[in-house]
Amino acid sequence: MDTSYGIFCPVAKAAEVVAGRWTPLILSELMKGSERFGDIQNGVPLMSRSLLARRLKEMEFAGLILRVPVGKGHVYRLTESGNALRPLINQLAEWGSEWRLPYLNERERNVSYLMWSLRGFLLGRTELPAKAVLQFNFRNVPKRDHKLRSWWLIKRDAEIDLCYTDMGFESDVMIDADLDTLTRVAIGLASLQKARSTGDVSFTGNAKLFARFVAALDLVEPPKLRLMRVPSEPPVSQTVLPPHAEAPAQIRTKSRAA
């Protein structure tokens, strides 16, 4: 890592590895199940590819992750050392949810991260049917994201694909929303009922499917702040590897397109 505090304090030794800019966010994405470079980057959309590649190499050198060959590519897996940080990441999530999340500012409006989060909230939920297409059209998107005003969540059995280009699928539900309002609704800071009454969020299409979408997101009235934790254990399909262990030559994996 780039920084050493030069003392043997255990807090300093931990901070040298974990407290670098972006590192906790990368750990969070890995703990949520992201393995491939592109999936990890979806969780840190403002981080450049070159910086992400460098951070991953630093985390591998520190023994937090391993790069594991899969077919012609590779995935990133947590080691025992990295996986042991789950309670710390969840404590940060709890503190941030209670003390910082209510104070979102305009710079933190990020349509890519909102859609990636919605996809994550829906994974594993049974409320949605096996096949469904939900289209989102956003207003008040920052200038940097002017080409990302429309998104599609495409559910196919247990998989959910996320696209920002029209793949030609017929939408079952079309949701039109103010970006800031839907962000606040999704994390439990604003009422969906009120947002619909003011026109900040509206939908057309299958009403029953929209109701199931709302249920799958655990949106309640009055709104309740969502605690955005990582799972307490890694997915069954993911092997936690010893630090600096030699990665297996092949590990079968199933990636989710995004």
Side-chain angles (χ1 to χ4, degrees):
M1 293 295 178
D2 296 331
T3 303
S4 172
Y5 291 100
I7 56 177
F8 60 85
C9 168
V11 175
K13 296 297 291 179
E16 288 170 3
V17 176
V18 179
R21 182 168 170 79
W22 298 108
T23 302
L25 279 67
I26 297 170
L27 284 168
S28 176
E29 281 304 308
L30 288 162
M31 291 172 183
K32 291 174 186 174
S34 295
E35 297 182 322
R36 297 188 180 276
F37 187 95
D39 287 342
I40 297 169
Q41 189 169 45
N42 284 331
V44 284
L46 297 185
M47 189 179 189
S48 70
R49 290 180 62 85
S50 59
L51 180 55
L52 176 57
R54 190 168 83 228
R55 281 290 181 272
L56 289 169
K57 287 180 180 178
E58 291 172 349
M59 293 168 68
E60 186 176 6
F61 180 78
L64 299 179
I65 63 173
L66 277 177
R67 187 169 122 153
V68 180
V70 175
K72 295 182 180 180
H74 61 270
V75 297
Y76 295 93
R77 292 278 173 83
L78 290 165
T79 64
E80 292 174 2
S81 173
N83 192 59
L85 290 166
R86 283 180 187 271
L88 175 62
I89 296 300
N90 271 332
Q91 285 180 321
L92 286 171
E94 291 171 13
W95 186 89
S97 295
E98 181 173 358
W99 296 102
R100 301 305 303 163
L101 205 53
Y103 307 105
L104 293 176
N105 61 52
E106 188 166 325
R107 290 184 304 166
E108 292 160 342
R109 290 188 299 131
N110 190 294
V111 65
S112 299
Y113 186 72
L114 171 61
M115 292 306 301
W116 185 246
S117 298
L118 289 178
R119 176 183 175 276
F121 297 155
L122 295 173
L123 285 172
R125 301 300 299 246
T126 59
E127 288 87 348
L128 292 179
K131 300 188 184 303
V133 178
L134 291 87
Q135 180 179 343
F136 296 76
N137 299 313
F138 289 100
R139 304 185 299 277
N140 298 324
V141 172
K143 288 183 179 179
R144 67 168 185 263
D145 296 332
H146 71 279
K147 295 182 179 179
L148 304 176
R149 296 178 184 274
S150 295
W151 291 75
W152 287 261
L153 279 172
I154 304 168
K155 187 174 187 299
R156 294 178 288 191
D157 299 318
E159 300 297 316
I160 301 178
D161 293 339
L162 178 61
C163 305
Y164 53 82
T165 55
D166 189 351
M167 304 300 290
F169 295 102
E170 183 178 354
S171 299
D172 299 301
V173 173
M174 186 178 295
I175 299 166
D176 293 280
D178 172 81
L179 175 58
D180 181 66
T181 301
L182 189 58
T183 298
R184 292 178 178 276
V185 167
I187 58 182
L189 291 173
S191 163
L192 176 60
Q193 191 175 82
K194 183 177 179 180
R196 291 182 63 189
S197 69
T198 59
D200 287 328
V201 177
S202 62
F203 84 95
T204 55
N206 190 321
K208 289 184 178 180
L209 178 57
F210 181 76
R212 294 172 72 172
F213 169 70
V214 171
L217 291 179
D218 284 331
L219 299 180
V220 296
E221 298 291 342
K224 183 179 179 181
L225 183 64
R226 183 188 299 276
L227 184 57
M228 300 172 71
R229 296 167 57 93
V230 301
S232 57
E233 297 291 338
V236 176
S237 61
Q238 289 189 6
T239 304
V240 176
L241 304 170
H244 303 297
E246 184 176 344
Q250 294 289 329
I251 288 184
R252 296 185 65 184
T253 187
K254 191 173 185 180
S255 69
R256 297 185 291 267

